[in-house]
């Protein structure tokens, strides 16, 4: 079956009620027939459900769909995207290990690298997103993981996945990719040599701004190691959220097609507008990594960033003039969202540090939603003044 069909038709086994749509298995534990079955399940001689921190039918259905979509053998779902990221590092790293990471990572991932992992003697070296070949110099005998996000946040730069995959192979390290911005409809890192792909399901996967969740996708062997850590440390995804996400996946391909089309149209219109400069969208021919984007992504995604003329003050005025677009911390929602990183998410950094991660004073990031593109544009155009 094609991926679109699997997203709709992959389903937990029907109960005796013959429900059409998968019910919610909102239960913390499952009942055993007798002591023999209980022993067999605990000793992993028989497959079945024991306790929802270990596994649950709704969570399994969600994971199966995500793994099939991303050409992964298996997966593990977590309570948030950050739980997926933390669990991955915690499952594979030991004291003294080293991470090589692209500098442009999600804010909380940056905090893990700089404030939390050093407590356990795990160190990180940041490398430039635009020169994967130079990363080899940062690799030491203790490097276990190469980590990257592409497209990057909020700059929407593109990192060469094929080059990163080759480097991981050559240096015998694990390549872990945060694939949240692209979604598996637009990009499948495992096809380029990544070992694990991570998503915050909170974003495009849910797609409607409701629940928090995350998922890690990879080979049976690697997921078994994640499972061995996660079962006992407890970052489990709620069955309710898994049920919601699995429903959301039924429309994922359709939604992403529309996010891609709306975002490309908005990017084109922004590029033609006199009040903007440097519009960044992976599928705009003017993007500095357009060729790489075209070679590894099937669509440009739902995020567009641009520099508004007039810097910080103009950026704040733009946000305050919006009427339709939401000012909110999420992305990947049906509703279009705008943020101005310099005055909000990254306001605590010095201007110099902001520039290091590509956050210029007038940078605006838009998560283009599923409203009619003319309505989204009307709001943006008015706010540009
Ligand atoms: C949101 C996000 C995360 C963290 O996910 P949560 O579900 O908020 O924990 C990680 N990486 C990227 C790129 C994100 O956008």
């Amino acid at each position: 079956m094609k991926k679109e069909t699997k997203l709709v038709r992959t389903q937990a086994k029907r109960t005796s009620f013959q429900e059409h749509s998968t019910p919610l298995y909102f239960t913390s534990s499952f009942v055993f027939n007798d002591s023999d079955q209980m022993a067999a399940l605990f000793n992993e001689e028989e497959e079945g459900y024991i306790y929802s921190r270990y596994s649950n039918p709704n969570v399994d259905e969600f994971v199966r769909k995500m793994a099939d979509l991303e050409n992964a053998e298996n997966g593990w779902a977590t309570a948030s995207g950050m739980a997926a990221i933390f669990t991955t590092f915690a499952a594979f790293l030991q004291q003294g290990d080293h991470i090589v990471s692209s500098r442009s990572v999600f804010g909380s991932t940056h905090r893990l690298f700089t404030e939390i992992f050093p407590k356990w003697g795990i160190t990180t070296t940041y490398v430039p997103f635009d020169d994967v070949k130079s990363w080899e110099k940062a690799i030491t005998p203790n490097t276990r993981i190469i980590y990257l996000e592409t497209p990057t946040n909020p700059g929407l730069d593109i990192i060469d996945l094929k080059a990163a995959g080759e480097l991981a192979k050559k240096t015998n390290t694990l390549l872990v990719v945060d694939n949240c911005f692209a979604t598996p409809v637009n990009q499948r890192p495992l096809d380029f040599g990544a070992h694990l792909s991570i998503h915050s399901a909170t974003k495009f996967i849910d797609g409607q701004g409701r629940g928090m969740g995350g998922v890690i996708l990879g080979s049976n062997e690697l997921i078994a190691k994640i499972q061995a850590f996660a079962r006992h440390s407890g970052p489990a995804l709620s069955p309710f959220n898994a049920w919601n996400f699995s429903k959301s996946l039924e429309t994922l391909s359709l939604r992403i097609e529309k996010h891609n089309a709306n975002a490309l149209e908005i990017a084109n219109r922004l590029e033609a507008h006199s009040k903007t400069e440097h519009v960044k969208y992976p599928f705009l021919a003017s993007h500095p990594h357009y060729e790489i984007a075209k070679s590894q992504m099937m669509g440009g995604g739902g995020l567009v960033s641009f520099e508004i003329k007039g810097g910080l003050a103009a950026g704040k005025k733009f946000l305050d003039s919006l009427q339709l677009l939401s000012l909110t911390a999420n992305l990947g929602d049906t509703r279009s969202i705008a943020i101005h990183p310099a005055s909000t998410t990254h306001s605590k950094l010095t201007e110099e540090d902001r520039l290091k991660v590509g956050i210029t004073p007038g940078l605006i990031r838009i998560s283009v939603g599923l409203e009619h593109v003319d309505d989204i544009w009307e709001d943006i155009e008015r706010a540009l003044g």
Side-chain angles (χ1 to χ4, degrees):
M1 279 194 283
K2 303 262 194 261
K3 291 181 191 297
E4 291 82 353
T5 312
K6 285 189 187 169
L7 284 176
V8 174
R9 285 289 174 175
T10 298
Q11 217 168 314
K13 199 161 141 265
R14 289 209 167 97
T15 71
S16 57
F17 293 123
Q18 289 282 68
E19 64 281 344
H20 191 197
S21 172
T22 304
L24 172 55
Y25 293 91
F26 210 38
T27 178
S28 45
S29 69
F30 299 81
V31 177
F32 310 109
N33 294 332
D34 52 36
S35 63
D36 280 346
Q37 193 201 21
M38 188 169 183
L41 282 167
F42 269 97
N43 295 322
E44 292 179 42
E45 291 154 13
E46 195 179 307
E47 288 220 354
Y49 293 105
I50 300 175
Y51 191 56
S52 286
R53 168 150 50 75
Y54 296 175
S55 58
N56 170 283
N58 295 119
V59 176
D60 281 358
E61 182 184 291
F62 167 61
V63 168
R64 188 70 260 148
K65 286 184 180 182
M66 287 297 295
D68 284 346
L69 187 58
E70 200 143 334
N71 298 329
E73 281 176 351
N74 209 343
W76 186 266
T78 56
S80 69
M82 283 323 300
I85 292 168
F86 179 80
T87 297
T88 302
F89 286 110
F92 289 101
L93 296 183
Q94 297 184 25
Q95 192 176 18
D97 281 349
H98 178 241
I99 302 161
V100 166
S101 170
S102 143
R103 178 63 190 84
S104 312
V105 289
F106 187 69
S108 292
T109 309
H110 173 65
R111 296 291 179 98
L112 286 182
F113 292 161
T114 54
E115 290 169 24
I116 296 179
F117 292 161
K119 291 201 301 182
W120 300 309
I122 294 167
T123 53
T124 304
T125 301
Y126 280 129
V127 285
F129 63 79
D130 55 354
D131 186 10
V132 176
K133 296 229 159 57
S134 75
W135 295 8
E136 194 167 351
K137 289 199 290 283
I139 293 188
T140 72
N142 293 337
T143 307
R144 296 275 166 275
I145 290 180
I146 300 176
Y147 187 82
L148 66 91
E149 263 172 44
T150 181
T152 64
N153 177 34
L156 302 182
D157 289 298
I158 301 295
I159 299 176
D160 187 338
L161 284 174
K162 189 160 160 270
E166 282 163 5
L167 180 65
K169 191 164 183 208
K170 184 175 169 195
T171 55
N172 196 24
T173 43
L174 280 184
L175 176 59
V176 181
V177 176
D178 180 334
N179 198 27
C180 171
F181 270 30
T183 82
V185 174
N186 284 329
Q187 177 172 279
R188 299 182 184 127
L190 303 191
D191 292 355
F192 297 88
H195 297 93
L196 293 165
S197 174
I198 299 181
H199 291 276
S200 163
T202 315
K203 313 294 169 54
F204 290 98
I205 304 298
D206 175 69
Q208 288 143 88
R210 300 166 299 186
M212 310 275 315
V215 65
I216 309 154
L217 304 163
S219 67
N220 283 329
E221 190 191 336
L222 294 179
I223 296 300
K225 292 198 171 130
I226 292 200
Q227 173 182 327
F229 176 84
R231 274 186 154 204
H232 305 296
S233 54
L237 177 64
S238 151
F240 178 74
N241 285 9
W243 176 79
N244 253 332
F245 294 155
S246 190
K247 290 271 138 225
S248 278
L249 287 179
E250 293 183 25
T251 56
L252 184 72
S253 350
L254 267 179
R255 286 188 286 112
I256 298 301
E257 266 173 41
K258 191 69 178 169
H259 279 294
N260 288 344
N262 276 358
L264 179 60
E265 182 61 28
I266 293 295
N268 273 317
R269 294 189 193 183
L270 279 168
E271 198 164 47
H273 198 281
S274 62
K275 297 270 175 66
T276 68
E277 37 197 336
H278 322 302
V279 178
K280 274 268 199 70
Y281 182 71
F283 273 26
L284 272 189
S286 59
H287 192 289
H289 319 117
Y290 174 70
E291 294 302 328
I292 303 174
K294 280 280 183 177
S295 73
Q296 65 191 31
M297 299 177 79
M298 289 159 282
L303 292 148
V304 178
S305 68
F306 67 98
E307 178 76 13
I308 188 166
K309 285 185 185 160
L312 201 67
K316 288 191 71 170
K317 182 166 168 282
F318 175 81
L319 285 201
D320 289 337
S321 310
L322 291 168
Q323 292 173 13
L324 180 73
L325 272 63
S326 315
L327 309 187
T328 180
N330 202 10
L331 62 94
D333 196 293
T334 51
R335 287 157 281 234
S336 296
I337 293 165
I339 66 158
H340 176 233
S343 69
T344 58
T345 49
H346 294 70
S347 61
K348 291 210 176 67
L349 301 184
T350 62
E351 177 149 0
E352 198 191 338
D353 282 342
R354 275 199 294 269
L355 287 175
K356 272 190 212 152
V357 286
I359 298 169
T360 45
L363 184 79
I364 309 274
R365 190 195 71 196
I366 300 198
S367 172
V368 181
L370 304 183
E371 304 96 339
H372 195 286
V373 71
D374 290 343
D375 290 324
I376 303 171
W377 178 246
E378 192 185 302
D379 199 37
I380 292 174
E381 198 178 27
R382 181 183 40 243
L384 283 169

